[in-house]
Amino acid sequence: MNKFVLVTGGAGYIGSHTVIALQQQGYTPVIADDFRNANQIVLEGLRSILGNEPLLHRIDICEDQALTRLFDQYQFEGVIHFAAYKAVGESVEKPLDYYQNNLVGLINVLRHLSTHHVKNFVFSSSCTVYGEPKGEKEVSETTPKQLPESPYGYTKWMGEQIIADFHRSTPQHKLMNLRYFNPVGAHPSARIGEFPIGKPNNLLPFVTQTAIGKYPHLTIFGADYPTRDGSCIRDYIHVQDLAEAHVAALNFLINQEDGLLEAVNIGTGRGTSVLEIVAAFERVTGHSLPYIIGPRRQGDVIEIYANATKGEQLLGWKSRLNIEDALKDAWAWEQYLATL
Ligand code: UFG
């Protein structure tokens, strides 16, 4: 019997890798994606890696009727909810779009869990809920949350709050917030990966697009921070590890008898600076990466990385891949894109 799992945003960067991990572990992923922020190339990649046509519904999850039809059609074992806007800067310019899409979509999905008796739910949250860590740079799930800097951050912060209130009102559900650190890398086949629309905001796509020649140089946003080399420090997690974390989370939820709500950090537990990324990229790929030091970017956290022990203890999951693997895979994906 098929174990259907709804993956909203399943044609996106993290969603597509999770679709593969789900199928590899015996689930039947059902993608709901309207492709507003996804690309057909990823769909072709999914086909070639999966070896079959993925179950895909081109719907906007903010549309109640479309979601009702989907929940009527399948009896889902669980839902993994990725579909959301994710660009911090854009969210400052278009806050209403972010609140509309990210919060209405989440509320709509939660309503359908209730009406269709689907118990297991995994939410794409973010380490952005911790803000700039005060004192200790390694944050655990018990580190107090702080108010975010951007409307995007608020949608994750409020998303967790909505889920907490939903849990109080319907405690039979099994709910998990996965707080991602910085997802990077691509599938080792180089057939799916991150596909930023327009100029990338995030570091890794900018690095690979610079190396391939789309930009003359990378700008490092500040090298005068109080860190070991002056540049900001993040916990970069390979998207393959991140995808597996979702399957581990779902397996865990399915095996629980009682309703619950948990938050789990998904990171490596290691911090890497922007300058270290540049050096590692050059070392791993043999390509030189021109860069300049620019001014600080407003709103940047200086240093943060995960305490990743809860994921290991609760889910039996930990990261297997390192930043070198991620850079190698991201570069192979960029090179593949250049052949299209
Ligand atoms: N950076 C550069 N140059 C660039 C792009 C980024 O130096 O061209 C630096 C940033 O200043 C930062 C680091 O690279 O120090 C990582 O930046 P990203 O934009 O890749 O990632 P962020 O850590 O800023 O953002 C990520 C997610 C957000 C999330 C946030 C929470 O992309 O969704 O973490 O901290 F909200």
Side-chain angles (χ1 to χ4, degrees):
M1 213 173 87
N2 283 321
K3 292 190 285 180
F4 292 112
V5 177
L6 175 59
V7 187
T8 74
Y13 175 41
I14 305 168
S16 57
H17 290 79
T18 302
V19 161
I20 292 163
L22 283 166
Q23 180 166 312
Q24 282 171 346
Q25 295 206 35
Y27 292 102
T28 305
V30 177
I31 299 172
D33 203 307
D34 65 2
F35 281 78
R36 77 178 74 178
N37 219 359
N39 195 286
Q40 299 296 331
I41 294 168
V42 169
L43 194 55
E44 283 155 32
L46 270 178
R47 285 189 190 112
S48 87
I49 299 166
L50 293 171
N52 55 264
E53 190 67 30
L55 293 172
L56 168 66
H57 295 261
R58 290 175 189 262
I59 61 163
D60 177 356
I61 54 143
C62 293
E63 278 178 25
D64 187 58
Q65 287 182 348
L67 210 53
T68 301
R69 279 195 296 276
L70 196 61
F71 274 80
D72 285 344
Q73 187 176 342
Y74 301 93
Q75 180 56 50
F76 292 120
E77 285 271 322
V79 176
I80 304 181
H81 178 51
F82 292 105
Y85 291 143
K86 61 172 186 178
V88 176
E90 184 186 61
S91 78
V92 177
E93 282 150 35
K94 301 176 179 172
L96 300 185
D97 289 357
Y98 272 68
Y99 288 123
Q100 162 84 23
N101 189 43
N102 294 10
L103 297 183
V104 172
L106 170 64
I107 292 167
N108 212 6
V109 171
L110 292 177
R111 273 196 207 288
H112 284 80
L113 292 186
S114 255
T115 55
H116 288 74
H117 310 291
V118 179
K119 289 213 171 135
N120 305 303
F121 177 77
V122 180
F123 176 59
S124 284
S125 190
S126 166
C127 68
T128 196
V129 299
Y130 298 117
E132 176 79 57
K134 295 198 171 84
E136 184 57 62
K137 305 300 180 190
E138 181 189 89
V139 292
S140 74
E141 294 79 356
T142 54
T143 300
K145 292 200 261 180
Q146 294 189 57
L147 292 181
E149 292 268 345
S150 69
Y152 160 78
Y154 266 104
T155 67
K156 294 299 172 189
W157 195 95
M158 289 161 75
E160 288 204 359
Q161 185 59 43
I162 289 167
I163 291 167
D165 292 335
F166 177 69
H167 174 62
R168 262 193 291 277
S169 69
T170 59
Q172 72 273 21
H173 290 100
K174 297 179 276 180
L175 310 163
M176 184 160 303
N177 298 324
L178 294 186
R179 295 178 179 158
Y180 314 152
F181 283 69
N182 288 56
V184 288
H187 192 269
S189 68
R191 287 298 174 274
I192 60 169
E194 190 168 6
F195 204 100
I197 293 169
K199 194 173 179 182
N201 296 300
N202 293 115
L203 177 63
L204 248 288
F206 210 94
V207 163
T208 55
Q209 290 193 15
T210 302
I212 209 107
K214 283 191 185 163
Y215 298 100
H217 56 75
L218 168 75
T219 302
I220 294 183
F221 298 143
D224 57 351
Y225 285 105
T227 59
R228 52 184 175 260
D229 60 19
S231 63
C232 291
I233 292 178
R234 296 286 185 279
D235 185 337
Y236 295 93
I237 173 91
H238 198 299
V239 67
Q240 286 285 96
D241 282 332
L242 185 49
E244 277 164 23
H246 288 81
V247 185
L250 190 65
N251 289 340
F252 168 81
L253 293 178
I254 288 171
N255 287 325
Q256 299 305 302
E257 293 282 319
D258 300 325
L260 62 97
L261 168 60
E262 293 284 352
V264 178
N265 284 344
I266 304 299
T268 65
R270 283 181 302 277
T272 307
S273 76
V274 181
L275 284 164
E276 287 164 353
I277 292 277
V278 171
F281 181 83
E282 293 187 330
R283 194 169 63 241
V284 167
T285 65
H287 249 262
S288 79
L289 186 70
Y291 71 86
I292 60 165
I293 307 286
R296 293 179 174 192
R297 182 171 69 176
Q298 205 198 340
D300 255 341
V301 166
I302 301 169
E303 177 171 0
I304 187 168
Y305 54 94
N307 177 313
T309 50
K310 184 172 176 184
E312 195 170 352
Q313 284 163 0
L314 196 70
L315 310 180
W317 168 90
K318 66 173 183 176
S319 65
R320 293 180 298 109
L321 302 166
N322 59 28
I323 190 67
E324 279 83 12
D325 299 313
L327 292 167
K328 188 164 57 63
D329 292 335
W331 179 232
W333 163 242
E334 190 69 61
Q335 287 176 303
Y336 170 68
L337 286 177
T339 66
L340 299 177

